[in-house]
């Protein structure tokens, strides 16, 4: 696990980064505002934000704009930012361009939690049911992701030192174990629960509302706010842990911060949106090509670009088969995969892959 | 108990009988069938993916799969009344719709003949046409009574019937207890060949051989019954586990459209009679 050629150390990148980085950032910010406006204006019901100002807006219209589209937009932006930043953190931490939040077991654990809630929902004690109400699936998904990550972290840590290689392998093993447990539950599941499971895996923001946003947002915002603090440490660790340690970087604290940050952000994101893949891989890679691997600019740019991408995909998912909805995971892979492949092919020489 | 639930649902909707709802969204194939049977389809502004009968319903805007509804999609057809089959969701969407002030009535699922009648009455009540509902309920009840009388008259051997949901890659999924297929087999005078589990499950080859069905019951693909399934009868009958059973050896297989057979709606009397007649045909010595 040496530094990958895809992510050279934090040396100044080829093009003049001083000009390029602010330009890309500004462009992404403008894009985010434009995309948010578009997402708020478009929808199956054909209401536009101009209608928001109308005093004679009926109850259903008000509900569509303020209780459906707006929380969904904010949730989409946060989920996109959280997933993209988590991906960038993981790739930096593991010094591996293939790393994504799934590596630390959040995905498999959250999946298991969701499946437990969907299949065994009726058997869960009434007290817990009353506490979680209709949000049992997101709550269990979050707990599943969080517990798996903590377990993995304990497994990989010995006397205050966390072995990244052990964590990677243990992550694969734990994911297999969670997969087996999920398989048993899928076997037990009834026909309809199977359909719920399938849809959960494809991801959707359709259930977004203020309650969900209020529950999930603090976790994601906390993670997003803390991520830039890790940037210098991750830059140094790109040279290798030993070098970073000699440079005076608190390597263990950076690792712990990155792992917990990713668990919080991805756990909350997966809990409210289901299985939306791809953002954590594609966004950081495209940005590294554009502005270089310096985490100080990469992390905020990933947050902006992730938010833009997810809002865009969600808008498409709401419109393409309206009034029904196509799961967002499908859209994400359908748009994202060819674009990413095209970029890879076009920049093959530079990426040296 | 079920009647009580319906009565409660009606009590919560006091305006139902007084004020006719002009824009109705139907979620669930069984509900859609009832609305058409009541002759109230003119008020429908949308349907869900499972509403495939009658074929005209296909022309209505489709708001998606009944367990995966999106709030804006539902509101975009501007319904003032949503009638949902039990199991519609997700709960977050229903909560948002409730908050948006749309009237909703959920008709619980119930795989009994009483449930069919109760469902008709509940839907008619919500639509504000209780007289039409009483009329349809009476006709349906008469049909049910006639079909059950036929079944009761049958003094031959009650066939062991295996309902198969699918035959994906040679793996067969069959119906246990507590589902529409099990209820229909029993109503039509058969005996469910497999037991010991609820709902639909993948069956092992040995379990199928041990269940020794006399007849296989499968769904034909198109809900109108026009297009037959992609798997033809031989795919089932030559399956190694089935080939050894009485059904496999005598080549006894019955195909019926899914919604017709399992919908527990206005067509159920007809479905019971047709299934029973098919049982008789298959079991009569050649």
């Amino acid at each position: 696990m040496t530094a990958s050629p895809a992510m050279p150390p934090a040396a100044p990148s080829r093009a003049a980064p001083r000009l390029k980085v602010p330009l890309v950032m500004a462009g992404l910010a403008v894009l985010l505002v434009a995309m948010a406006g578009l997402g708020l204006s478009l929808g199956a019901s054909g209401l536009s934000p101009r209608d928001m100002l109308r005093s004679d807006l009926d109850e259903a219209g008000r509900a569509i704009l303020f209780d459906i589209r707006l929380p969904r937009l904010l949730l989409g932006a946060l989920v996109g930012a959280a997933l993209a930043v988590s991906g960038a953190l993981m790739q930096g931490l593991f010094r591996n361009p293939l790393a994504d939040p799934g590596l630390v077991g959040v995905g498999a654990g959250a999946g298991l939690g969701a499946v437990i809630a969907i299949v065994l929902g009726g058997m869960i004690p009434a007290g817990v049911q009353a506490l979680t109400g209709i949000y049992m699936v997101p709550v269990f998904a979050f707990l599943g992701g969080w517990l798996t990550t903590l377990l993995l972290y304990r497994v990989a840590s010995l006397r205050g030192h966390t072995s990244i290689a052990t964590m990677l392998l243990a992550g694969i093993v734990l994911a297999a174990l969670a997969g087996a447990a999920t398989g048993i539950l899928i076997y037990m599941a009834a026909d309809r629960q199977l359909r719920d499971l399938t849809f959960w895996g494809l991801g959707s923001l359709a259930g977004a509302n203020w309650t969900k946003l209020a529950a999930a947002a603090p976790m994601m915002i906390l993670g997003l706010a803390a991520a830039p603090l890790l940037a210098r440490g991750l830059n140094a660790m790109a040279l290798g842990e030993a070098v970073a340690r000699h440079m005076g970087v608190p390597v263990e604290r950076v690792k712990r911060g990155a792992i917990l940050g990713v668990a919080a952000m991805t756990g909350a994101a997966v809990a409210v949106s289901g299985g939306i893949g791809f953002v954590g891989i594609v966004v950081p890679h495209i940005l590294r090509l554009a502005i270089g691997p310096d985490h100080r600019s990469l992390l905020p740019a990933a947050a902006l670009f992730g938010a833009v991408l997810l809002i865009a995909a969600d808008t498409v998912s709401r419109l393409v088969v309206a009034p029904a909805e196509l799961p967002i995971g499908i859209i994400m892979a359908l748009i994202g995969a060819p674009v990413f492949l095209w970029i890879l092919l076009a920049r093959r020489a530079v990426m040296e892959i | 108990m079920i009647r009580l639930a319906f009565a409660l649902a009606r009590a919560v909707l006091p305006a139902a009988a007084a004020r006719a709802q002009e824009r109705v969204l139907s979620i669930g194939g069984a509900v859609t069938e009832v609305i058409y049977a009541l002759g109230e389809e003119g008020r429908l502004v949308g349907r869900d993916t499972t509403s495939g009968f009658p074929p005209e319903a296909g022309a209505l805007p489709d708001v998606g799969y009944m367990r995966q509804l999106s709030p804006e999609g539902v509101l975009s057809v501007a319904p003032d009344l949503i009638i949902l089959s039990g199991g519609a969701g997700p709960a977050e969407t229903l909560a948002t719709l409730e908050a948006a002030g749309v009237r909703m009535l959920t008709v619980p699922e119930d795989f009994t003949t009483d449930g069919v009648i109760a469902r008709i009455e509940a839907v008619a009540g919500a639509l504000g046409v209780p007289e039409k509902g009483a009329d349809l309920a009476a006709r349906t009840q008469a049909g049910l009574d006639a079909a059950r009388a036929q079944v009761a008259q049958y003094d031959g051997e009650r066939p062991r019937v295996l309902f198969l949901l699918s035959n994906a890659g040679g793996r067969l999924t069959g119906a246990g207890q507590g589902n529409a297929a099990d209820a229909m087999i029993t109503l039509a005078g058969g005996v469910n060949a497999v037991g010991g589990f609820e709902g639909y499950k993948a069956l092992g080859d040995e379990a199928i051989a041990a269940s020794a069905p006399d007849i296989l019951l499968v769904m034909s693909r198109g809900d109108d019954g026009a297009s037959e399934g992609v798997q033809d009868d031989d795919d089932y009958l030559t399956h190694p586990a089935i080939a050894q059973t009485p059904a496999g050896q005598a080549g006894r297989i019955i195909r019926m459209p899914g919604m017709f057979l399992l919908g527990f709606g206005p067509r159920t009397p007809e479905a019971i009679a047709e299934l029973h007649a098919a049982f008789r045909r298959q079991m009569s010595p050649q």
Side-chain angles (χ1 to χ4, degrees):
Chain A
M1 244 206 218
T2 53
S4 149
M7 278 185 290
S13 78
R14 301 169 308 280
R18 279 207 184 83
L19 183 69
K20 207 169 177 181
V21 170
L23 217 63
V24 168
M25 291 282 204
L28 284 173
V30 171
L31 207 59
L32 179 59
V33 172
M35 207 53 239
L38 207 62
L40 214 53
S41 331
L42 297 174
S45 56
L47 275 168
S48 77
R50 200 178 303 166
D51 297 321
M52 281 183 180
L53 307 172
R54 270 173 32 198
S55 52
D56 60 334
L57 192 61
D58 60 352
E59 206 178 345
R62 208 189 319 279
I64 287 173
L65 290 172
F66 294 107
D67 295 332
I68 297 176
R69 280 195 204 159
L70 195 57
R72 184 166 179 161
L73 178 83
L74 296 175
L75 197 67
L78 276 177
V79 166
L83 291 176
V85 170
S86 296
L89 287 177
M90 281 289 99
Q91 286 141 29
L93 184 67
F94 286 89
R95 277 164 280 148
N96 184 324
L98 286 177
D100 78 345
L103 268 187
V104 288
V106 188
L112 179 58
V115 174
I116 288 175
I118 291 172
V119 179
L120 302 180
M123 292 187 220
I124 288 163
V128 180
Q129 284 192 31
L131 206 64
T132 57
I134 59 175
Y135 301 106
M136 193 151 71
V137 174
V139 168
F140 272 71
F142 177 75
L143 289 178
W146 183 251
L147 289 175
T148 320
T149 310
L150 290 187
L151 178 66
L152 196 62
Y153 181 65
R154 289 293 294 273
V155 169
S157 299
L158 188 66
R159 287 189 289 275
H161 172 78
T162 308
S163 160
I164 293 294
T166 309
M167 191 153 181
L168 190 68
L169 288 172
I172 292 169
V173 172
L174 272 191
L177 205 60
T182 306
I184 293 172
L185 290 169
I186 286 176
Y187 177 76
M188 291 166 56
D191 197 41
R192 285 195 157 165
Q193 293 169 335
L194 286 177
R195 298 211 62 165
D196 288 351
L197 295 178
T198 313
F199 276 110
W200 192 86
L202 292 173
S204 172
L205 292 170
N209 55 35
W210 292 112
T211 317
K212 255 191 185 177
L213 185 68
M219 284 289 204
M220 292 191 272
I221 291 173
L222 208 67
L224 289 171
L229 305 176
L230 301 166
R232 275 172 192 283
L234 288 174
N235 281 347
M237 280 172 67
L239 301 166
E241 272 183 40
V243 179
R245 209 166 277 124
H246 286 302
M247 286 167 69
V249 171
V251 172
E252 292 307 320
R253 262 172 52 196
V254 171
K255 281 189 211 168
R256 203 157 46 229
I259 291 163
L260 294 184
V262 167
M265 281 190 285
T266 315
V270 173
V272 291
S273 67
I276 303 178
F278 216 66
V279 187
I281 291 272
V282 166
V283 168
H285 279 288
I286 291 178
L287 287 173
R288 266 187 217 104
L289 288 170
I291 59 172
D294 184 346
H295 286 92
R296 284 171 301 178
S297 46
L298 180 65
L299 293 175
L304 289 174
F305 193 25
V308 169
L309 197 64
L310 210 85
I311 295 174
D314 187 49
T315 306
V316 174
S317 97
R318 292 189 290 124
L319 292 177
V320 70
V321 291
E325 228 170 71
L326 206 59
I328 189 171
I330 300 174
I331 308 278
M332 210 52 151
L334 218 56
I335 312 175
V339 171
F340 190 48
L341 196 62
W342 173 72
I343 291 171
L344 273 186
L345 291 174
R347 305 294 298 265
R348 201 157 28 179
V350 183
M351 302 268 300
E352 291 172 34
I353 284 174
Chain B
M1 186 65 210
I2 300 141
R3 300 259 176 162
L4 182 69
F6 283 121
L8 280 174
R10 246 174 293 173
V12 185
L13 301 165
R19 182 163 50 99
Q21 305 293 325
E22 285 317 313
R23 299 185 61 84
V24 179
L25 174 64
S26 171
I27 303 296
V31 171
T32 307
E33 274 193 44
V34 172
I35 294 173
Y36 273 87
L38 288 168
E40 294 294 317
E41 67 271 18
R43 286 148 71 178
L44 282 177
V45 293
R47 52 142 191 144
D48 75 319
T49 311
T50 66
S51 298
F53 186 90
E56 302 93 89
L60 293 165
D62 177 1
V63 298
Y65 179 57
M66 61 178 282
R67 289 180 74 74
Q68 210 58 40
L69 299 169
S70 110
E72 182 165 356
V74 168
L75 290 178
S76 74
V77 298
D80 47 27
L81 171 67
I82 307 174
I83 307 181
L84 309 111
S85 280
E92 294 101 311
T93 297
L94 301 187
T96 307
L97 292 173
E98 204 150 34
V102 187
R103 285 186 351 106
M104 288 191 283
L105 171 76
T106 300
V107 184
E109 271 189 326
D110 180 16
F111 308 125
T112 65
T113 50
D114 284 351
V116 172
I117 301 301
R119 177 180 283 168
I120 290 171
E121 286 171 348
V123 172
L127 290 172
V129 288
E131 319 76 36
K132 278 185 176 180
D135 183 44
L136 178 63
R139 271 185 288 138
T140 309
Q141 186 65 61
L144 286 169
D145 292 344
R148 298 183 79 171
Q150 269 179 37
V151 174
Q153 274 170 18
Y154 178 64
D155 55 1
E157 195 193 340
R158 285 160 65 85
R160 293 174 64 80
V161 182
L162 174 62
F163 176 84
L164 292 172
L165 193 62
S166 77
N167 176 12
R171 286 165 41 116
L172 299 163
T173 302
Q177 270 73 52
N179 58 64
D182 178 64
M184 281 303 287
I185 290 170
T186 310
L187 282 171
V191 177
N192 192 348
V194 288
F197 63 91
E198 295 279 312
Y200 301 91
K201 284 254 179 317
L203 298 173
D205 288 358
E206 283 184 35
I208 290 170
S211 73
D214 298 310
I215 299 174
L216 296 184
L217 178 59
V218 297
M219 292 191 287
S220 46
R221 269 299 154 89
D223 200 46
D224 50 1
S227 54
E228 283 296 296
V230 282
Q231 290 152 346
D232 55 25
D233 293 354
D234 282 347
D235 284 341
Y236 286 102
L237 295 171
T238 59
H239 186 284
I242 289 173
Q244 310 161 14
T245 65
Q249 297 195 331
R252 287 191 289 248
I253 184 164
I254 298 171
R255 256 176 204 283
M256 284 171 87
M259 248 345 258
F260 176 62
L261 179 65
L262 307 176
F264 277 82
R267 291 187 291 162
T268 295
E270 207 188 319
I272 294 172
E274 214 171 280
L275 187 60
H276 178 65
F279 285 170
R280 284 194 183 210
R281 261 198 316 279
Q282 298 277 3
M283 293 307 284
S284 63
Q286 267 97 26

